[in-house]
Amino acid sequence: MQRAAGRPAYSGLLLFKMLLVEFWHGGLSDESVEDMANSNLHVMRFLGLPL
């Protein structure tokens, strides 16, 4: 049996919440949502990310 290499996958709930943030902020790009998730405390808390 071969083991997969690399990082573990993101949870489906996190990805869904990121899609909601994209929608609520007027159709942001994936990169913009990622930047927002790294800099905006409200978004980080909504997504359940650690500070």
Side-chain angles (χ1 to χ4, degrees):
M1 180 176 210
Q2 195 172 2
R3 299 184 114 208
R7 295 182 188 177
Y10 292 110
S11 74
L13 181 60
L14 174 62
L15 296 175
F16 177 71
K17 287 181 177 183
M18 289 182 82
L19 284 174
L20 288 177
V21 171
E22 281 185 35
F23 178 74
W24 291 335
H25 289 277
L28 295 174
S29 67
D30 292 340
E31 293 83 13
S32 297
V33 173
E34 185 179 357
D35 290 341
M36 186 179 281
N38 289 322
S39 63
N40 187 317
L41 293 177
H42 291 98
V43 173
M44 290 174 84
R45 185 164 188 192
F46 172 71
L47 296 175
L49 299 174
L51 300 176

